[in-house]
Amino acid sequence: MTSFIETLNHWGDQFLNFAWPMLWQSSLLIAIIFVLDVALRRKIRAAIRYALWLMVLVKLLLPPSLALPTSFAWWLLPPPQSPAKPQPAAYVNNYGDQTAPAFPLQFQPAPALVQPKMSTAAWTLAASGAVNGGLLAWLLVRWWQINRKARRAKTSEALIPVLDGARRLTRLRPGIRLKLTEDSMSPAVCGLFRLAILLPQSLVDKLSAGQLRAVLLHEAIHLRRGDVWVNCAQALLQIFYWWHPLLWLANARIRRVREEAVDDAVML
């Protein structure tokens, strides 16, 4: 138990040493990109603004320290030289022909072992891990719910030609599934490996042929761009950095700009 608490205290200190630089560095990056996004919103395409926002995700994947091999400074700057340790001097006591003086042996009682206590950093790490576990469990539940909807949804043969037309325009590979669900939801793409487009039946009944084609083209462009994987990375990073307040705003902005970029692609 003592070794476990000491290990937890050590990793708690490492966590705080990592969290604070990452917090202020990524916050500064988010603020700069937000200003650029607002200032250039009507001057540059949404796809370029979206690429700028993706730099936030890249930053969160890289450690904040310049002393690690993932930093350019680690390769450009020479490694610091550790100072040489002085050698201890050796002394020899020589009593000549005389015998060494006898000293009375005194036995000191062994000091009592002090049980280590969890530091504030260790408690912070434990609380963060608990929140991470709760958010991950919620994400898995949502993933299971979407998969259940996709399994219960029906395949529509009448919409296959429309889907094939959207797939050819976006140069998607064959094998994309299209399913209709009775649940009330927005059109969505699901699956990381077995990709599928999920449409609510109520929406399909209301849309005209041209509107339905535009909706399918919108979802097909999401698949071509790999937005499902980016959204998955956003969710996992949000779970790990749940304590980062600006990241919640940045993720919401990334999703909004992503939809604007896909709408532009549909119009083109």
Side-chain angles (χ1 to χ4, degrees), residues 115-164:
Q115 294 294 334
K117 297 181 179 180
M118 287 182 60
S119 62
T120 303
W123 282 111
T124 303
L125 177 62
S128 178
V131 176
N132 291 339
L135 292 176
L136 181 60
W138 175 81
L139 177 65
L140 293 177
V141 169
R142 290 291 300 157
W143 173 78
W144 175 78
Q145 290 175 345
I146 294 297
N147 274 350
R148 186 178 64 172
K149 287 183 180 182
R151 288 193 301 266
R152 293 167 52 187
K154 300 176 297 183
T155 302
S156 175
E157 297 295 336
L159 297 179
I160 296 300
V162 185
L163 176 62
D164 288 339

Side-chain angles (χ1 to χ4, degrees), residues 7-74:
T7 302
L8 195 60
N9 290 339
H10 169 73
W11 284 107
D13 294 335
Q14 296 296 323
F15 172 72
L16 292 184
N17 292 335
F18 167 84
W20 169 241
M22 179 62 78
L23 178 64
W24 74 261
Q25 292 176 20
S26 58
S27 297
L28 180 60
L29 179 62
I30 291 172
I32 293 174
I33 294 178
F34 180 78
V35 172
L36 291 175
D37 186 13
V38 174
L40 304 176
R41 181 172 49 187
R42 298 183 179 180
K43 298 180 180 179
I44 61 176
R45 294 173 54 189
I48 300 178
R49 290 159 47 217
Y50 178 69
L52 288 176
W53 277 109
L54 290 184
M55 293 174 57
V56 176
L57 304 183
V58 175
K59 169 59 183 174
L60 295 175
L61 293 173
L62 298 178
S65 175
L66 297 179
L68 294 177
T70 50
S71 170
F72 289 105
W74 191 87

Side-chain angles (χ1 to χ4, degrees), residues 159 162 180 185-187 198-219:
L159 297 179
V162 185
L180 302 181
M185 58 175 295
S186 300
L198 201 57
L199 297 179
Q201 181 66 57
S202 58
L203 181 64
V204 174
D205 296 337
K206 296 177 182 178
L207 297 180
S208 63
Q211 292 172 331
L212 185 59
R213 178 177 178 272
V215 170
L216 290 178
L217 188 59
H218 180 102
E219 302 305 327

